[in-house]
Amino acid sequence: MELYYTSTRNREVRVTASQAILQGLSEDGGLFVPESIPAMEVPMEELAQMSYQQVAYQVMSRFFTDFTEEELKSCIDRAYDEKFDTEEIAPLVKAEGAYYLELFHGATIAFKDMALSILPHLMTTSARKNHAEHEIVILTATSGDTGKAALAGFADVPGTKIIVFYPENGVSPIQKKQMVTQKGDNTYVVAIRGNFDDAQTGVKKIFNDKAMGERLAAAGYQFSSANSINIGRLIPQVVYYVYAYSRLLKNGEVAPGDQINVDVPTGNFGNILAAYYAKQMGLPIAKLICASNENKVLFDFFRTGTYDRNRKFVLTSSPSMDILISSNLERLIYRLAGEDDQANRQLMEELGTTGTYAISAKMREKLEDFYGNYASEEETAEQIRQLYEDTGYVIDTHTAVAARVYGKYLEETKDSTKTLIASTASPFKFIRSVLSAIDGKYADMEDFAQVEELSRIANVPVPKAIQEIRTAPVLHNTVVDVEEMPAIVEKILKVSQK
């Protein structure tokens, strides 16, 4: 049965999966959502015997119904190959009673690889299926990880160009070096003077600029997105939660039907929304634990039912979560509103004009699946140090936020349900913060000396992604003001603004 997609802001919209992937964002500014969440009908005992690639097909084929079996399996096989540095694509590590799902063994050592390895293949297949005549321009804002993963995925992919905007002072040194050294004749990296929300808002404005879209179309281009606002980014993330549960079952950690909790460090809300979709498919998830850093807009939302971005933006040691506008939350709000597109549109318009909105009491009742909390900078550092001292296991700053919030959840609830923590980045990606947390003596070491030291104390090899950027030349050095974002896009694409 074919599954169609609609817009969170206009239920009159009805497109296929490939059309939604190709378009990225609905023309009305809404996000594409499936008209219904398909059931995961394959018994978990069968999934437990499957490879990651096979589980991926079982999940994605239920969402991407206009792809043939051959097309989808080809995308999956090309995405989940030797670019991952472990035999198991997403290994589980048990430490201090929790199960860490390591999602950082891809080409750019962050969880974004799990979806951005496949998105270029889904996108180019979608273009062929829909006889797209225009070259696809991937336009993306990043708080650090999406940018590099998207650049790596789309580099030199025929029929595409990719432009990534990142906050000049809002990413880690390693994240920045990964982006500005990116090779590929079709890759462009631009720093903005502002924060991630400024970059993300700027990108959305470009998407919604009809006149600019017409100029690009005349020049042979069409925009799409690699952010998790693209449904082709979001659905592949559902896979690893299903896969993780199947591994817990295979390893005898849970019995069939046993519930687990899922704890996710959360910024743009895409990763935890994927876990919510997995739960809606029938995966036995009890609580969805939403972990925030000091930019705790989501914690406040779950506590009060009011979303309020009118606050000081805090630069933290977990920069991929330094976000005040969590775009993917709109998909949840749409479901909480009973798929009422007009109610959702009104809330999003309030967010755009006043920076805040409040959901109804009835909608709040539907949030009982979620638990929200946050970790301060001091708590995050303490979590890294304590886990290392107790177990020898080293986690990055984002994973540490989730681990500390899990500790708070345990204290509050005494819930003994087995819990999966999404480990979203390699500690090598945020090495200065990680080593400084473990011991202040490392603080003055040069970046790549720190790399060797972390490899030694954690007893893990230096990732290939880090080795590659040691001596790589800087290829991208453009910096612009937020207001200049449309102009730099048109300059890159050589599109006349007349």
Side-chain angles (χ1 to χ4, degrees):
M1 193 177 81
E2 184 128 18
L3 179 66
Y4 288 93
Y5 289 78
T6 188
S7 167
T8 53
R9 301 187 192 182
N10 181 5
R11 288 199 67 183
E12 296 294 312
V13 171
R14 198 168 193 250
V15 298
T16 64
S18 63
Q19 289 168 336
I21 290 168
L22 199 56
Q23 199 171 326
L25 192 69
S26 181
E27 289 182 359
D28 50 61
L31 306 187
F32 288 116
V33 289
E35 289 187 330
S36 61
I37 302 295
M40 188 71 244
E41 293 160 335
V42 181
M44 193 56 63
E45 293 88 338
E46 287 185 31
L47 292 171
Q49 305 308 314
M50 294 182 185
S51 66
Y52 190 90
Q53 293 85 344
Q54 290 169 325
V55 173
Y57 178 75
Q58 292 300 327
V59 174
M60 289 192 225
S61 62
R62 283 160 172 75
F63 285 95
F64 301 152
T65 55
D66 67 324
F67 283 70
T68 67
E69 180 177 349
E70 181 183 10
E71 286 171 337
L72 190 51
K73 285 185 173 177
S74 174
C75 291
I76 289 167
D77 289 343
R78 284 185 287 167
Y80 304 113
D81 57 11
E82 67 280 351
K83 70 173 68 72
F84 288 84
D85 64 14
T86 48
E87 187 175 341
E88 194 146 18
I89 299 289
L92 284 167
V93 175
K94 189 175 183 180
E96 289 199 330
Y99 300 87
Y100 289 82
L101 178 62
E102 293 189 342
L103 299 170
F104 53 77
H105 290 284
T108 74
I109 57 176
F111 82 101
K112 307 295 174 70
D113 287 323
M114 302 298 292
L116 281 165
S117 292
I118 194 170
L119 184 60
H121 305 298
L122 293 172
M123 186 104 40
T124 52
T125 302
S126 295
R128 286 195 301 272
K129 290 177 75 64
N130 290 279
H131 310 290
E133 297 175 356
H134 294 154
E135 186 167 3
I136 300 165
V137 179
I138 304 299
L139 192 64
T140 288
T142 185
S143 53
D145 287 339
T146 287
K148 173 59 183 178
L151 288 162
F154 280 93
D156 293 322
V157 170
T160 70
K161 284 184 168 61
I162 177 165
I163 305 171
V164 170
F165 290 98
Y166 74 94
E168 184 181 20
N169 297 314
V171 299
S172 79
I174 295 289
Q175 285 177 311
K176 182 175 181 178
K177 189 78 185 287
Q178 282 186 304
M179 286 190 285
V180 299
T181 59
Q182 176 66 49
K183 297 176 183 178
D185 292 339
N186 65 335
T187 63
Y188 304 89
V189 180
V190 181
I192 65 149
R193 299 179 185 96
N195 59 42
F196 169 73
D197 286 331
D198 296 324
Q200 182 167 252
T201 300
V203 164
K204 282 187 173 181
K205 283 181 178 176
I206 293 172
F207 268 103
N208 293 326
D209 186 333
K210 297 287 192 294
M212 186 175 179
E214 289 171 5
R215 291 195 296 273
L216 260 73
Y221 296 114
Q222 70 178 82
F223 282 135
S224 193
S225 173
N227 284 81
S228 52
I229 57 174
N230 191 313
I231 201 71
R233 249 289 301 278
L234 183 64
I235 299 308
Q237 294 179 256
V238 178
V239 173
Y240 48 70
Y241 294 110
V242 177
Y243 178 77
Y245 188 92
S246 77
R247 294 314 99 165
L248 290 172
L249 182 62
K250 183 178 182 179
N251 298 339
E253 299 287 350
V254 297
D258 283 355
Q259 289 196 316
I260 63 169
N261 295 329
V262 174
D263 178 7
V264 186
T266 309
N268 213 25
F269 208 75
N271 204 6
I272 196 165
L273 183 72
Y276 175 76
Y277 276 15
K279 179 180 170 77
Q280 297 298 302
M281 291 185 81
L283 196 69
I285 294 173
K287 278 292 182 189
L288 294 154
I289 300 172
C290 180
S292 301
N293 65 15
E294 288 186 4
N295 291 289
K296 53 189 179 70
V297 64
L298 287 167
F299 163 66
D300 290 338
F301 169 72
F302 284 117
R303 189 170 53 88
T304 66
T306 297
Y307 193 96
D308 186 358
R309 63 151 303 187
N310 300 316
R311 63 186 68 206
K312 182 182 177 183
F313 185 92
V314 184
L315 289 173
T316 74
S317 61
S318 47
S320 297
M321 298 160 65
D322 289 349
I323 293 171
L324 295 181
I325 303 176
S326 302
S327 290
N328 267 289
L329 186 63
E330 179 171 349
R331 286 185 165 115
L332 178 64
I333 296 297
Y334 175 74
R335 284 186 70 83
L336 298 179
E339 302 186 343
D340 183 335
D341 54 347
Q342 295 311 304
N344 176 72
R345 176 189 283 274
Q346 183 177 339
L347 291 173
M348 295 308 118
E349 287 176 353
E350 287 177 23
L351 180 65
T353 55
T354 68
T356 183
Y357 63 81
I359 62 174
S360 68
K362 187 176 179 181
M363 290 170 70
R364 283 191 69 182
E365 289 173 7
K366 298 178 184 178
L367 284 174
E368 60 186 16
D369 289 342
F370 290 88
Y371 167 87
N373 214 318
Y374 76 101
S376 68
E377 284 290 87
E378 293 75 15
E379 289 171 329
T380 301
E382 172 59 30
Q383 184 66 38
I384 294 170
R385 179 169 57 254
Q386 174 256 311
L387 188 63
Y388 171 69
E389 289 176 351
D390 290 351
T391 68
Y393 186 51
V394 180
I395 56 176
D396 90 294
T397 46
H398 304 73
T399 308
V401 169
R404 177 48 65 104
V405 166
Y406 175 53
K408 292 182 177 184
Y409 174 77
L410 281 178
E411 283 180 23
E412 285 183 29
T413 66
K414 308 296 187 280
D415 179 7
S416 61
T417 303
K418 290 180 177 176
T419 296
L420 186 74
I421 295 177
S423 185
T424 53
S426 166
F428 285 93
K429 198 152 196 175
F430 303 95
I431 193 162
R432 187 165 293 279
S433 296
V434 170
L435 278 179
S436 296
I438 290 172
D439 194 323
K441 70 182 181 183
Y442 299 120
D444 295 328
M445 292 176 72
E446 183 268 332
D447 283 345
F448 285 103
Q450 289 187 332
V451 167
E452 300 300 337
E453 189 61 21
L454 179 56
S455 176
R456 183 188 68 80
I457 68 170
N459 196 29
V460 293
V462 177
K464 182 182 176 184
I466 299 295
Q467 297 281 27
E468 288 176 344
I469 63 171
R470 281 177 182 266
T471 57
V474 171
L475 302 175
H476 308 274
N477 53 20
T478 303
V479 184
V480 301
D481 292 325
V482 175
E483 298 76 20
E484 298 174 286
M485 288 172 62
I488 196 68
V489 168
E490 297 202 34
K491 181 179 179 181
I492 287 169
L493 298 176
K494 299 182 174 61
V495 174
S496 171
Q497 296 181 45
K498 295 179 182 177

